[in-house]
């Protein structure tokens, strides 16, 4: 009787682990990223110093890289243009329920006309984990003239 119960618990544990890993492949329960900025208005050419807040998911996962793009959105055409990209390579592991802060330093390009009607800017962040799992975050910022 005990052997049967012990095997049942082990089998349920294996199924639970398989289910959690399968959900991770779909992005459910994976680590999350949030770019924390000290303010939301910057001058053209200014350097931004903030940090990435990474929260662990349901299982430990290996972080491969963090990508952050400065994107200019033109509302009249619906076009997006990547103005600058920053990438942080990593082999760090984040455990379940753990939180980590990674410094973020990004110098904005000098823009001729940063403040135009119908144009907005955002920092689009992607957390790339093992097996291609991606966490995303968008932070809208205002860019004024120098």
């Amino acid at each position: 009787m005990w052997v049967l119960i012990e095997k049942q618990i082990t089998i349920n544990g294996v199924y639970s682990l398989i289910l959690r890993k399968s959900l991770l492949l779909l992005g459910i329960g994976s680590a999350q990223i949030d770019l924390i900025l000290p303010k939301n208005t910057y001058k053209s050419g200014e350097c931004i110093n903030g940090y990435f807040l990474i929260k662990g998911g349901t299982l430990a996962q290996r972080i491969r890289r963090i990508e952050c793009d400065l994107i200019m959105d033109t509302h009249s055409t619906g076009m997006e243009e990547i103005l600058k990209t920053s990438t942080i390579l990593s082999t760090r592991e984040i455990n379940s329920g753990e939180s980590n802060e990674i410094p973020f330093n990004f110098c904005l390009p000098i823009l001729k006309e940063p403040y135009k009607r119908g144009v907005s800017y955002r920092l689009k962040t992607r957390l790339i984990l093992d097996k291609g799992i991606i966490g995303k975050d968008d932070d809208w910022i205002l860019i004024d003239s120098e």
Side-chain angles (χ1 to χ4, degrees):
M1 178 84 172
W2 286 104
V3 174
L4 180 60
I5 293 171
E6 185 177 316
K7 284 185 180 182
Q8 183 66 32
I9 291 170
T10 303
I11 290 172
N12 285 340
V14 169
Y15 286 135
S16 175
L17 182 61
I18 291 170
L19 177 61
R20 286 187 290 172
K21 285 187 177 188
S22 299
L23 290 173
L24 282 178
L25 291 174
L26 297 172
I28 300 169
S30 65
Q32 298 177 350
I33 190 164
D34 187 16
L35 175 57
I36 307 297
L37 301 173
K39 58 185 183 175
N40 65 356
T41 301
Y42 297 91
K43 299 225 178 275
S44 179
E46 183 177 353
C47 290
I48 301 172
N49 294 307
Y51 63 92
F52 296 109
L53 177 61
I54 301 174
K55 295 181 182 178
T58 56
L59 295 173
Q61 295 171 294
R62 185 160 307 281
I63 298 170
R64 291 293 176 205
R65 67 184 180 277
I66 299 170
E67 299 172 348
C68 189
D69 299 328
L70 173 63
I71 297 177
M72 180 176 71
D73 289 306
T74 306
H75 305 288
S76 61
T77 61
M79 298 294 292
E80 292 183 352
E81 181 182 347
I82 298 173
L83 301 178
K84 189 173 179 180
T85 299
S86 174
T87 302
I88 299 172
L89 301 176
S90 176
T91 57
R92 183 180 302 190
E93 188 166 293
I94 184 148
N95 294 314
S96 175
E98 179 182 9
S99 288
N100 283 331
E101 292 180 8
I102 297 175
F104 171 74
N105 302 303
F106 190 93
C107 291
L108 296 172
I110 296 174
L111 304 170
K112 292 178 187 173
E113 295 180 72
Y115 186 76
K116 288 193 259 184
R117 187 180 185 130
V119 173
S120 58
Y121 301 92
R122 64 189 159 103
L123 291 165
K124 182 177 185 175
T125 305
R126 289 177 305 284
L127 175 67
I128 291 79
L129 303 165
D130 245 356
K131 300 181 175 89
I133 299 166
I134 298 175
K136 297 179 183 178
D137 181 41
D138 283 312
D139 292 277
W140 295 90
I141 61 172
L142 297 173
I143 302 178
D144 286 333
S145 333
E146 297 181 76

